[in-house]
Amino acid sequence: MMRDRQLFFGLLLILTFVSLHKLCYCDDQTVSCESFDEPFGGSWIVSKNGDYEAYGGIKFENVDASLNQIGLNEGNKRITKTTLVEALKDEREDVIQAWYMDDNQEDQRLPHHKDPKEFLSLDKLAELGVLSWRLDADHYETDEELKKIRESGGYSYMDFCEVCPEKLQNYEEKVKSFFEEHLHTDEEIRYCVAGSGYFDVRDRNEAWIRVWVKKGGMIVFPAGIYHRFTVDSDNYIKAMRLFAGGPVWTPYNRPHDHLPARKEYVDNFVNKAFNASA
């Protein structure tokens, strides 16, 4: 009997140990870590909820290496909310956030989150060809990072656009026209130096993604991508506009699928993705 009890409690201890390593919650359960292999091996998925849901999901291929990467000692396997969030934080998300939109047709200036909210990482946004940076908007005249971006992209032309009732004639009409789904035959580069606004793009399945760009956020939309713009409820944004060569203002409202720029976009960012997953 004693031997059977020892075996039972020994087995229970092993199962508890494995279970705790398969599902490890931080103190307030805001951040959770799920392991699908034996303790601290294989793949982990880090998911965030509550205040941290904007950071999306990140997959760890090697847990031990990842723990060392975020500054935890090899012998210390405890992951706290603070160490994990700080280590995984994408600083761009302080000024740029992306999420899937609901189907509600009310005021375009509202966030239009789904219920529950469904955020998208900026790395996932880049898979659609949409690139982003966080820059120093208070010192854009002397910002070396901005200078490098302009040089690498050949963005020789620069001007500013302020969208607000006081600065833009026929404001309401213009805001509605900006919200018409369209594409350009050249890149669209916008750097928010004050205020904020929403840029919406389609994913590969035609679902709308809302991209909220605030002061310090810079975003580049590839030629041929369907998109639209609106101010948010603050009704103000001041954006730097960059172009390679002379400015190209012409919007082509959807549908303009026959344009070479659209065909090239579909080939590079839609068809390739579908072919890779087939």
Side-chain angles (χ1 to χ4, degrees), residues 56-271:
I58 298 175
K59 184 175 182 180
F60 286 150
E61 297 296 342
N62 183 298
V63 174
D64 288 322
S66 300
L67 290 172
N68 291 333
Q69 179 182 343
I70 65 176
L72 298 178
N73 296 329
E74 185 176 353
N76 178 12
K77 302 298 185 182
R78 180 172 176 76
I79 303 176
T80 66
K81 181 182 70 175
T82 301
T83 55
L84 187 60
V85 170
E86 289 300 318
L88 300 179
K89 182 178 179 181
D90 185 338
E91 292 188 351
R92 294 174 298 173
E93 291 180 347
D94 288 336
V95 293
I96 304 172
Q97 293 180 6
W99 58 81
Y100 277 99
M101 298 181 67
D102 63 21
D103 296 324
N104 195 311
Q105 300 300 312
E106 64 178 326
D107 190 350
Q108 67 190 47
R109 297 168 232 213
L110 297 177
H112 285 282
H113 281 290
K114 284 188 169 185
D115 185 15
K117 296 177 181 179
E118 187 176 351
F119 287 92
L120 191 75
S121 73
L122 298 183
D123 289 335
K124 286 294 183 183
L125 199 62
E127 293 178 8
L128 299 173
V130 181
L131 306 180
S132 56
W133 291 265
R134 176 183 177 176
L135 301 173
D136 184 1
D138 290 324
H139 302 93
Y140 60 81
E141 300 96 336
T142 57
D143 187 0
E144 289 297 320
E145 185 65 20
L146 175 60
K147 182 180 178 181
K148 291 177 183 177
I149 294 170
R150 292 190 63 179
E151 289 176 350
S152 63
Y155 304 136
S156 55
Y157 178 92
M158 181 269 284
D159 69 8
F160 291 91
C161 178
E162 282 187 279
V163 181
C164 62
E166 297 78 18
K167 298 291 182 70
L168 189 63
Q169 290 186 348
N170 303 318
Y171 175 74
E172 293 294 338
E173 181 181 334
K174 288 289 182 63
V175 168
K176 288 181 180 178
S177 69
F178 296 155
F179 201 59
E180 291 289 334
E181 186 177 1
H182 63 278
L183 62 79
H184 300 287
T185 56
D186 288 81
E187 288 181 321
E188 179 173 315
I189 305 99
R190 296 294 182 266
Y191 174 19
C192 180
V193 297
S196 54
Y198 296 127
F199 296 85
D200 301 338
V201 298
R202 299 270 192 184
D203 74 358
R204 297 185 181 101
N205 296 309
E206 292 291 295
W208 278 115
I209 298 169
R210 172 144 285 188
V211 186
W212 191 20
V213 182
K214 296 177 279 187
K215 179 181 177 181
M218 181 177 182
I219 195 160
V220 177
F221 299 95
I225 189 173
Y226 282 121
H227 63 286
R228 63 190 184 188
F229 166 79
T230 183
V231 289
D232 57 25
S233 56
D234 288 337
N235 283 299
Y236 179 73
I237 187 172
K238 180 178 180 180
M240 176 188 294
R241 301 183 293 188
L242 300 173
F243 294 91
V248 179
W249 308 108
T250 307
Y252 295 91
N253 288 352
R254 191 168 190 172
H256 268 84
D257 294 347
H258 64 282
L259 292 178
R262 177 59 186 175
K263 293 179 179 179
E264 185 176 347
Y265 175 79
V266 170
D267 287 342
N268 289 335
F269 295 103
V270 180
N271 290 343

